[in-house]
Amino acid sequence: MIINQHSLSISIKRTRERYFLTFKAVGKLTHRDYEMIKPLIVSALSGCDKPKLDLLIDITQFRGWSLRAAWDDFIRGLKHCGELERVAVYGSQNWQRLLSKAGNWFIAGEVQYFENRLSAQRWIES
C-alpha cells in the first residue's frame, strides 16, 4: 500500500518590524493546506503596517501542488511580494532551482536557491 503524505509546516519569528518565516513543504500540497496556514500568517503579521519579511523555504521533499493550491500560492505571493526582502529556497532538484528563478519575476525582494540548508540560513540572516 502506498501512502501519499503531504504537509506544510511554518515557523514565524518576530523582532520588531522584521519577520523571519520558515516553511517546509512535503509531498503535493492542496488548497486545504493553504487554508489551514492562512490564519497563522495573517495573525502573525497583524498589527504591523509594513512588515519586512525574510523567508526560508525548504522544498527538498516537495512534489508540487494541486492546481487550486498553485493558484493560492501565486495569489498569496502577489499579496505579500512588496513585503518580502529575502527568500532563500532550499531544494534538491533542477525543477526547484528553475521555480525559484521564476520567483524573481514576481517578488520584489531577492530570491536565491541553495542545495545546502545552512548556506540558505546564513544568507537569509546576513
Side-chain angles (χ1 to χ4, degrees):
M1 177 167 72
I2 297 173
I3 298 173
N4 291 323
Q5 292 183 333
H6 70 279
S7 65
L8 183 59
S9 60
I10 181 173
S11 168
I12 304 170
K13 296 178 186 175
R14 180 179 178 187
T15 57
R16 296 190 184 163
E17 299 295 312
R18 188 165 210 82
Y19 292 83
F20 177 67
L21 284 75
T22 304
F23 287 98
K24 179 168 181 152
V26 175
K28 185 174 181 179
L29 299 180
T30 66
H31 171 71
R32 183 176 164 104
D33 295 323
Y34 284 94
E35 288 300 306
M36 289 173 48
I37 67 159
K38 182 179 177 179
L40 296 172
I41 296 171
V42 169
S43 176
L45 299 179
S46 69
C48 189
D49 289 336
K50 297 185 182 198
K52 296 178 182 178
L53 305 175
D54 292 322
L55 179 60
L56 173 63
I57 305 171
D58 180 342
I59 56 174
T60 54
Q61 296 177 315
F62 179 58
R63 300 296 171 250
W65 308 265
S66 68
L67 183 58
R68 186 162 180 199
W71 179 252
D72 291 341
D73 193 39
F74 177 72
I75 294 301
R76 188 160 291 114
L78 289 178
K79 182 179 178 185
H80 294 290
C81 70
E83 300 160 352
L84 291 170
E85 294 200 351
R86 285 188 163 196
V87 178
V89 179
Y90 166 47
S92 59
Q93 304 289 322
N94 191 49
W95 70 268
Q96 295 168 339
R97 176 187 303 277
L98 296 172
L99 183 66
S100 66
K101 286 184 180 187
N104 278 313
W105 299 336
F106 303 103
I107 296 172
E110 190 176 357
V111 179
Q112 291 283 330
Y113 177 82
F114 298 88
E115 291 184 351
N116 178 288
R117 184 180 174 89
L118 185 57
S119 296
Q121 192 164 346
R122 285 182 180 154
W123 179 77
I124 240 354
E125 292 173 351
S126 66

